[in-house]
Amino acid sequence: MSDFDYDLFVIGAGSGGVRAARTAAAAGARVAVAEDRYLGGTCVNVGCVPKKLYSYAAHFHDAFQDARGFGWRLPEAPVFDWATLRDNKVREITRLNEIYGRLLDSAGVRLIHGRARVVDAHRVEVAGESITAAKILVAVGGWPWVPDFPGRELAVTSNEVFDLAQLPRRFLALGGGYIAVEFASIFNGLGSESHLVYRGELFLRGFDREVREFTREQMAAKGVRLHFEANVERIDKVEGGLLVTLTNGESLEVDAVLAATGRRPHLEGVGLDALDIELNGDGTVKVNERFETSVPSILALGDVIGGPELTPVALAEAMHLVQQHFGDAPPAPMDYRNIATAVFCHPNIGTVGLSEEQARKQYGAIRVYRTDFRPMKHTLSGSEERCLMKLIVADDSDVVVGAHMVGEEAGELIQGVAIAVRAGLTKADFDATVGIHPTGAEEFVTMRTLSRR
Ligand code: NDP
């Protein structure tokens, strides 16, 4: 036990911070956490959790239509009530906030409400207290970033979009990353006229090209209006809405603009600059494999260190960090390869491993197996929605190095495939696996025809 007030002081009670605090406490450390906003961080409050709930709400739109082909007659056209969804969401998140509070409490972690500032290598100031700790963990996450253009203050970010006073009749998402495609799909599903404006030629840069193209076709077919090679030049308030002028000369009148143009480390007021803690070129905090910053008693993890900005990554980092600093068996460094991810646009994208383009670069000789088909459900529903599945195989070793899907519940499905890809299984292993019939998932073990090399 150290002479400090605490063994670990965590700044930020988001996914990574809470996990680190609880597991360190379970390992016998004396731990305190400071949080100035909400327990659970971005994911619980203004990210993954409310987004998934809203995505469920939006999927009902298709479900009501699909039901007719199966014999269901809806007595009248379904009506969506935004306030019910929003308020039910608020209730659920309040419940989750309380659970987070109880988890910390039962782990014996002291929770302090306030924004902590690091004053030296072992001291923080928060809520009028000066506290010392052997280690200080910066887990403050990220914050939405909006580019500078006239009228930027008229746009909302993912911090506000869930709580709009009314459902926007016309909605515009700016950006081509996860948040923009997810919200363009959500508002389209909820019945808004939905636009997505992206500066490049095709959204979801970094994902497999074919996945991106397929998603473009599917989202457009569902009614999302896609504007590529365009950016927002300005937003003006006009009677009855917002006038958005685009750089391509187009102008659109909408009721809400969501700026989904990336996130930056939320370091304001944390005091790292005064300690000259080294940052990466993009402003994220530089850490080594032990999550130590350039001041070794100050640690950092999660969105604030860059890398994949995903809750399960922050959780895994927290477990590694605690084992390294408070456990007796230091683990191997965190392995960032083959982290599966899902984009909850409609239809969903699920992906693990390398894209076709990355694999071609890395392995040279590859085999691609792909199929796209109309899922069985839509033979009766009348929906035109299709599903894409794709495996990328390193030719020499036969190892499956990438698996991709666009289709219903792709996130649910790809999680299982991710185990196989992470384990380094071969295409022969996939082929030897007996499928489950009738599912869409069985395509992953029945694709035999080589699509291309
Ligand atoms: P992303 O970094 O994914 O995407 C940002 C988008 O904004 C890119 O398309 C980028 O374009 C564009 N952009 C950047 N600067 C400008 C600019 N000046 N003008 C116009 N467009 C610009 O950020 P998001 O905000 O979508 O999401 C943040 C992160 O949160 C994600 O990266 C992801 O890690 C995480 N997240 C994960 C989810 C999930 O797991 N399902 C869901 C939501 C978020 P370009 O590509 O050309 O650089």
Side-chain angles (χ1 to χ4, degrees), residues 182-203:
E182 289 182 346
F183 276 95
S185 289
I186 286 171
F187 281 101
N188 182 57
L190 296 180
S192 308
E193 174 189 301
S194 181
H195 299 265
L196 182 145
V197 173
Y198 173 54
R199 62 181 177 180
E201 40 97 38
L202 184 57
F203 52 23

Side-chain angles (χ1 to χ4, degrees), residues 51 145 147 174-180 182 198-199 205 231 260-263 308-310 341-344:
K51 182 273 310 292
W145 173 84
L174 170 63
Y178 283 80
I179 298 181
E182 289 182 346
Y198 173 54
R199 62 181 177 180
R205 187 164 60 80
N231 211 336
T261 39
R263 297 170 62 83
E309 293 171 73
L310 301 169
T341 178
V343 187
F344 295 97

Side-chain angles (χ1 to χ4, degrees), residues 5 11 32 70 96 120 142 155 179 223 283 287 293 295 301 310 335 345 414:
D5 298 331
I11 308 179
F70 292 91
L96 295 176
D120 68 35
I179 298 181
V287 293
T293 67
V295 175
L301 60 64
L310 301 169
D335 182 359
C345 48
I414 214 76

Side-chain angles (χ1 to χ4, degrees), residues 126-140:
V126 57
E129 278 188 74
S130 177
I131 297 172
T132 60
K135 310 234 158 134
I136 298 168
L137 170 60
V138 179
V140 293

